[in-house]
Structures are given as structure tokens and as C-alpha cells.
Amino acid sequence: MFLEDVFLESAKSDLEALVAQHRTAGIDGAFQWDPFVAKSMLQKAIRRSDTGKAEEAARYLLRVNEHGFWRRVCIIALEDIGLANIPLVTQALQAERNRALRSSLGGSEKVGLALVSAMCTSPKDRTTDDLIDAIGSVDYRCWKADVAEMSEAERATLASSASASIHERAIAALQLSPASALSRRVRDWCLFLERLPEEALSPCVKATATLGLQRTKSEMALYMALLSRDLPEAPKQVDDWFPPAVDLSGLPSWTLDGHTRLGLQAFRLALKRSPRIGKFVRRWATGTVSPAKTVAGLVFRVESAQLNRKLDWSLGQQLKEEACNNRPGLPAGVAPEGLAILREEFELVNECRADAVRGYLR
């Protein structure tokens, strides 16, 4: 425990230096959209390393919903930064937890903008979220049933195994707790991490993952700990390919995803205007989500989940490919066809977004 405490104190001290050194990027005008659009712009701008747009969204959210901003920052830290920068993830979690700490460093806005800026320039990794999508595939349904039949001790052994695949370990770890209450499951996951020896989980990652579970209750923190042993020592960084973007009255087109009303409206328009997209969805959609959300799931993988300064490692690449193939509302194996259509017709998607914004501003 001593090493974990030293790491947490060091992260807190480094946060003070980070805030002191930060200079706010130029922010153009007042944000004129709703909080859902702001949350989307914040996260997508961090993924693209667009500091100006990220700070614009962050400042708006800090002023209209400070609590919501800090919860979002913690999720972004686990989902998009993750193993690429463990100290920064820790600092985001510490700042969210401790209002007194934020006050001592100059207030929530000053600390929040400094963290957002650091996330933009940081290396990034989305493998924790990709793992969630990957093991959500029907391909693992039988394996999940087999793990459910194991004893608690057998699941713990599998979750900490040095030879099992990350898929097996993640499924076993997720089922470690028989409790239905999320708070109890989080306690069981934290206890599992605490019992792992240092050769299986470094004290720094253990401290961060435990704090992440306590603050977000998200399995991403658990998976980050499991994935850490598979990360090579010095992975190179690459930039993902991004489809073309356009400006929509000061709003980047990539902001409008499936978590925004304007994004869903744009995808409804795309279904009507693109014979290829419309035909694909009519042929393959399972009906578990709406047609617009089916398109949104594909857009997410073509555009929204892309990263600048992404860690490039073999397991990360494998999990991203599996996640791309497991899209909401589609049966296994058909997503690549839809992704290919969207890559070829992305200009049409942006035209539909522009029309949705014009209708909103009218």
C-alpha cells in the first residue's frame, strides 16, 4: 500500500504544477448549444487533440453543470487516455473527488481547463472501451455461460491468470461478484485488485484503477488494470484517419453523434437520402435499436472513436477490430459492409448534419 500512497501523492503534487503552468487556449465566442452537444464536443475534441474546442465546451459545462463536467472528465480519462497516461487519469479522478483540492488550486474552472488541455496533448488509448464492445459480441455468449457455472475461486483464478486471453480474464473478472447491487460489485472488484501481486499489477495502475472504480463504478477501470500487463514497454504513437469535417455555424460536424438530438436527426436524413445506407439498414438491422442509432453506431467507429496520438500496440489493434465488427442493432459479421459505405459517403452524412443544424437554428 505504501507505493500506491506515494504514487497518489506524487500525482497530486504534479497536478498543482500542471494547473500553474496552464495557459487557456483562445476560445471563440459563447457556446450556443445544449449540454449534450457540449459533452460530445468536449470528448471528441480531446480525441482529436483540438484544445480550443475542448476548452470551449469545458468552460460552458463548468458554468452550467459543474458536477456533470467532472463526471464526464473521469469517464473520458478512463475511456480515451487510459494506459497511455496513468498519472493524468489519476489526476482527473483526484480532482473530481476533492472539491477542496480544486479550490486550493484556483477553483474548478482553472483546474478543469488545465486537465482538459493536458488530455488533448496527451497520448491516448481506447482499449478499455474497445474491450467492452469486443466481449459484448455473441461470439462470447457460450463462454460467458461457462464462466457463470464456475465457482467464485475459479473465476478469480481465471481473471488473474498469466496465460488466459484478455477476453477470458475480462469476462471472469466481470463475474467475480454475485451481488446485483453495483456498489457491492465495485467493492468486490476493488478487493480483487488489492489481492493481485505486484508482478501481475503495478502499484501505480492498481491505485488508479481502484480510484476509477470508486469514482465512476465503470468496468473500464477494472479492464484497464487487466490490460496493463499486456501493454508493451514503449509503444509507438500513430494518428488515426479522420473523415472530412465541416463547420456548422461554429460547431464542428464531428460533434453531432448518436448521443445528440441533432446527430440522430442527421442520421435519419441520411437513411432517406442514401440508397446504399438505407438498403443496408433495411436488410440487416435487428431492431434492437432504432435505424438512426444503428447508423450512429457505425458513425462512431468511422469517426467518433478515432484518436490523435494513439498508442499503437497489437492487442489494442485486435480489440479495436473486434469492436468495429460488433455494432449495435446489427448481426455479427455485417458491420464492415456498413462501415465501408459510410467511409465512401461521409460527405452526405455531413450534408445531413448541416441541414439538421439549419433546422435547429431557424
Side-chain angles (χ1 to χ4, degrees):
M1 179 61 74
F2 174 73
L3 290 175
E4 285 113 316
D5 290 340
V6 169
F7 169 72
L8 292 172
E9 283 303 313
S10 175
K12 191 182 296 184
S13 297
D14 290 343
L15 175 61
E16 182 176 354
L18 177 72
V19 174
Q21 294 165 9
H22 173 253
R23 297 294 177 268
T24 302
I27 298 176
D28 300 328
F31 192 80
Q32 60 177 324
W33 313 90
D34 63 48
F36 297 100
V37 173
K39 287 179 183 179
S40 177
M41 189 165 92
L42 172 65
Q43 190 157 13
K44 310 304 184 298
I46 287 173
R47 291 172 183 167
R48 290 169 173 260
S49 301
D50 188 333
T51 306
K53 290 299 183 186
E55 289 195 10
E56 181 182 354
R59 178 171 287 177
Y60 168 82
L61 287 169
L62 280 160
R63 294 177 178 180
V64 302
N65 184 1
E66 181 183 335
H67 176 72
F69 166 82
W70 284 110
R71 288 195 60 80
R72 175 60 55 173
V73 162
C74 288
I75 293 298
I76 294 172
L78 291 170
E79 185 174 336
D80 299 315
I81 306 298
L83 292 170
N85 194 338
I86 288 294
L88 183 57
V89 175
T90 306
Q91 289 162 351
L93 294 166
Q94 288 174 322
E96 183 273 338
R97 177 180 64 173
N98 194 334
R99 179 181 287 272
L101 174 63
R102 302 198 301 266
S103 297
S104 71
L105 297 179
S108 276
E109 184 166 311
K110 187 173 183 179
V111 176
L113 293 178
L115 281 168
V116 164
S117 177
M119 288 182 181
C120 286
T121 58
S122 172
K124 301 171 183 69
D125 185 75
R126 282 188 41 78
T127 312
T128 52
D129 191 56
D130 290 338
L131 177 57
I132 290 174
D133 279 351
I135 64 175
S137 168
V138 295
D139 294 342
Y140 296 103
R141 187 176 294 165
C142 291
W143 178 249
K144 289 176 183 176
D146 290 341
V147 172
E149 295 298 318
M150 294 179 180
S151 68
E152 187 175 342
E154 288 172 329
R155 288 196 292 268
T157 299
L158 178 59
S160 57
S161 168
S163 58
S165 72
I166 186 58
H167 306 78
E168 295 170 322
R169 287 184 280 137
I171 290 168
L174 195 64
Q175 297 189 34
L176 277 174
S177 175
S180 56
L182 182 56
S183 59
R184 173 64 187 276
R185 297 182 73 192
V186 167
R187 287 197 296 272
D188 289 343
W189 290 338
C190 289
L191 184 60
F192 164 70
L193 296 182
E194 180 58 35
R195 289 171 174 168
L196 290 177
E198 190 171 332
E199 58 268 23
L201 181 62
S202 80
C204 299
V205 177
K206 180 183 292 187
T208 305
T210 301
L211 186 57
L213 282 169
Q214 292 168 346
R215 301 314 302 168
T216 70
K217 297 180 173 56
S218 169
E219 67 265 36
M220 282 192 294
L222 177 67
Y223 293 164
M224 184 176 69
L226 295 178
L227 283 159
S228 63
R229 71 162 57 168
D230 300 296
L231 183 69
E233 231 177 88
K236 65 179 182 178
Q237 296 173 28
V238 297
D239 291 339
D240 281 330
W241 173 83
F242 290 90
V246 296
D247 179 84
L248 307 174
S249 300
L251 186 71
S253 54
W254 39 262
T255 298
L256 301 183
D257 64 0
H259 296 290
T260 65
R261 289 180 299 169
L262 288 174
L264 288 174
Q265 175 59 19
F267 302 150
R268 292 185 194 101
L269 293 174
L271 282 164
K272 294 177 181 177
R273 296 179 186 178
S274 168
R276 294 176 69 196
I277 295 174
K279 181 179 178 182
F280 172 81
V281 172
R282 286 193 298 273
R283 180 182 182 187
W284 293 115
T286 62
T288 54
V289 299
S290 70
K293 289 196 172 183
T294 301
V295 175
L298 295 170
V299 170
F300 178 80
R301 283 295 165 184
V302 170
E303 178 188 55
S304 301
Q306 304 291 78
L307 296 174
N308 273 326
R309 300 197 64 188
K310 179 185 75 174
L311 295 192
D312 186 24
W313 52 306
S314 57
L315 181 57
Q317 294 166 355
Q318 175 193 336
L319 291 173
K320 180 175 181 178
E321 184 177 344
E322 290 184 40
C324 286
N325 290 334
N326 183 32
R327 294 292 77 217
L330 293 173
V334 307
E337 179 187 346
L339 294 170
I341 294 171
L342 277 176
R343 289 188 186 101
E344 293 172 8
E345 297 195 359
F346 216 84
E347 288 185 2
L348 172 63
V349 173
N350 282 337
E351 289 172 10
C352 293
R353 283 167 161 168
D355 286 345
V357 167
R358 276 192 287 270
Y360 174 83
L361 295 176
R362 188 177 302 150

